Amino acid sequence: MISVAIVEDNAGLRESLVMLFGESAGFKCVGAFDTAEKALVEIPKHPPDVVLMDIHLPDLSGIECTARLKQLMPKVRVVMITAYGDNDKIFKALRAGASGYLLKRSLPERILESITDVMQGGAPMSSEIARKVVEAFRQPAAAPGDKVELSRREHEVLELLSRGFPDKEIAAKLSISFPTVRFHLKHIYEKLHVQTRTEAALKFAGKSTGSY
């Protein structure tokens, strides 16, 4: 059972999402809020697996709310929802800790599929956003911290992850099994001290190959 919290100021959409999760097997809605301020107070009381977060909220933005929720609950997965593909804001949300994003016009089946994908380590995002993540690799690295050594295979998995490939395609490209990809991702996350694919890719940005 995947528990979901919703942060959306549009009453009609918020109610539709509550109904969608209430009527879909394997999902349950544990809270729906119309402001970031309410979400920051209530969501930590009953932590969900996934938060659907409107990127445009009154007063405190969905981006800032995401950053604060990730500080309070590092393991929670946040998927941004937006009416249009505002690449700059979506990229800022990913930097704040979001695991991906969906357009509000997405079909119900796509919403459920994306949340399931996120729970399995996926990161729903467009090719344009994936390119922005890749471009971040070319930015100068921040002040170097402790180096983290990755194996050759872990480096290969991380490189394909950063290019936006889902786990099944990574497995196919490297001629390894899907569970093996998940095994390598688990160790990559542990070594990089991250919780999501996006965080791993962004931490990879600007680092030299082989050590992080």
Side-chain angles (χ1 to χ4, degrees):
M1 183 71 70
I2 300 175
S3 59
V4 183
I6 301 161
V7 188
E8 167 60 60
D9 65 333
N10 182 299
L13 177 58
R14 188 171 63 252
E15 291 170 5
S16 294
L17 289 170
V18 169
M19 185 177 299
L20 172 64
F21 297 122
E23 295 177 348
S24 300
F27 296 87
K28 65 177 179 179
C29 180
V30 295
F33 313 97
D34 59 356
T35 69
E37 290 80 0
K38 291 179 183 177
L40 288 169
V41 171
E42 298 298 330
I43 288 178
K45 295 178 181 179
H46 305 284
D49 297 312
V50 179
V51 176
L52 274 183
M53 176 77 67
D54 187 0
I55 204 167
H56 298 285
L57 292 169
D59 300 322
L60 195 66
S61 74
I63 296 171
E64 181 61 26
C65 186
T66 295
R68 295 190 189 185
L69 279 178
K70 292 293 290 185
Q71 290 176 346
L72 295 170
M73 303 179 295
K75 293 185 178 181
V76 73
R77 298 163 176 85
V78 181
V79 176
M80 309 307 293
I81 47 177
T82 179
Y84 46 89
D86 187 336
N87 288 354
D88 290 336
K89 288 186 177 180
I90 291 168
F91 190 58
K92 287 178 181 178
L94 295 176
R95 283 190 174 276
S99 297
Y101 85 97
L102 288 167
L103 294 178
K104 291 187 179 182
R105 63 174 179 268
S106 297
L107 294 173
E109 295 80 4
R110 172 59 178 161
I111 294 173
L112 298 177
E113 176 185 287
S114 295
I115 290 176
T116 301
D117 185 35
V118 165
M119 287 297 296
Q120 295 175 346
M125 66 180 75
S126 69
S127 58
E128 290 82 1
I129 297 300
R131 279 198 296 271
K132 277 186 171 286
V133 174
V134 173
E135 287 167 5
F137 298 169
R138 303 190 181 99
Q139 299 173 0
D146 296 334
K147 286 189 175 181
V148 177
E149 297 297 330
L150 299 183
S151 69
R152 178 185 61 83
R153 181 64 83 190
E154 288 170 346
H155 181 269
E156 292 171 343
V157 170
L158 181 55
E159 184 175 4
L160 290 173
L161 175 153
S162 71
R163 289 163 57 187
F165 290 104
D167 295 354
K168 290 182 180 179
E169 290 188 31
I170 292 175
K173 285 183 175 294
L174 297 180
S175 299
I176 57 180
S177 69
F178 177 74
T180 299
V181 172
R182 301 305 304 278
F183 174 81
H184 287 309
L185 284 175
K186 178 178 182 293
H187 284 279
I188 290 169
Y189 290 178
E190 290 174 350
K191 289 182 178 181
L192 297 183
H193 304 291
V194 299
Q195 299 291 333
T196 69
R197 295 166 66 93
T198 304
E199 290 172 340
L202 291 174
K203 194 158 187 177
F204 181 52
K207 303 295 184 181
S208 60
T209 55
S211 61
Y212 301 85

